[in-house]
Amino acid sequence: MPSSNPTRAELAKEASLQGSLMKLGAVHKTWKERWFVLKGSKLYYYKTSAADKHISEISIDQAVIRTSKELYPQHFCFEIVTAPRVYQLIAKKDTEMWVWVRELQKMSQITRENEIIGTTEDMIRHLQSQLSMVEHQILDAENANQTTTAEEETQ
């Protein structure tokens, strides 16, 4: 079982994704290349791919993962929005960025909940549409009945 401060080698064995990304620093606001390892709902980052101890970790389970409104698509930048901080990361290629975004979104409980809500809302809209069609059919049938009854009475 890995320690509370797992080494890069320990994490790499079970990582779902790992690679190099540029990260914007929180204090000095400079871009630095870092090595990232995603294992479960934790994203660990290291100074280099050879570093053994991670600098920090980002909990993904309650994070929102999105493309950067200010930097994408000029840069292949995405954001990990957590309660304490917004992390900005840049990939080397657009396809690489989307691999990271999709994999991180899989680990986000918020993303999964939003997908469930979206699916449920789609189902509700579909059922409302069907109900409206049935209501119209009932009204049409009632109107046809009234017309037939009125014609019979006039005869």
Side-chain angles (χ1 to χ4, degrees):
M1 171 118 187
S3 64
S4 61
N5 191 9
T7 66
R8 184 191 48 76
E10 290 171 330
L11 285 174
K13 291 176 189 173
E14 299 174 20
S16 56
L17 189 61
Q18 56 185 320
S20 178
L21 297 166
M22 298 294 289
K23 184 181 89 51
L24 184 63
V27 178
H28 298 293
K29 300 292 181 193
T30 57
W31 291 96
K32 292 188 177 175
E33 188 169 6
R34 296 289 183 238
W35 185 260
F36 288 84
V37 177
L38 177 62
K39 181 177 181 241
S41 63
K42 297 277 188 198
L43 181 63
Y44 299 87
Y45 60 94
Y46 300 79
K47 192 168 186 171
T48 67
S49 62
D52 206 32
K53 291 188 177 182
H54 65 275
I55 296 170
S56 190
E57 65 187 64
I58 305 168
S59 182
I60 302 300
D61 61 340
Q62 294 298 310
V64 173
I65 316 304
R66 65 183 186 204
T67 56
S68 170
K69 289 180 173 83
E70 55 185 85
L71 296 175
Y72 183 80
Q74 294 83 5
H75 301 281
F76 309 121
C77 185
F78 64 97
E79 298 173 335
I80 302 171
V81 182
T82 65
R85 178 175 169 196
V86 175
Y87 296 86
Q88 289 185 306
L89 305 169
I90 294 179
K92 291 180 176 103
K93 299 184 292 190
D94 192 52
T95 53
E96 180 185 350
M97 181 199 72
W98 285 109
V99 167
W100 278 101
V101 167
R102 287 187 187 106
E103 198 64 32
L104 290 165
Q105 285 176 338
K106 286 181 198 174
M107 299 301 138
S108 168
Q109 181 68 28
I110 291 173
T111 300
R112 290 191 300 275
E113 288 170 356
N114 284 340
E115 288 171 354
I116 291 167
I117 290 168
T119 301
T120 304
E121 288 172 343
D122 289 344
M123 290 170 62
I124 290 169
R125 279 191 291 277
H126 177 72
L127 291 172
Q128 286 173 331
S129 172
Q130 297 240 323
L131 179 60
S132 179
M133 286 174 40
V134 169
E135 287 172 341
H136 280 58
Q137 289 172 347
I138 291 170
L139 287 174
D140 290 346
E142 287 175 350
N143 287 338
N145 251 354
Q146 287 174 356
T147 303
T148 304
T149 304
E151 286 174 356
E152 289 172 353
E153 289 175 0
T154 58
Q155 293 177 356

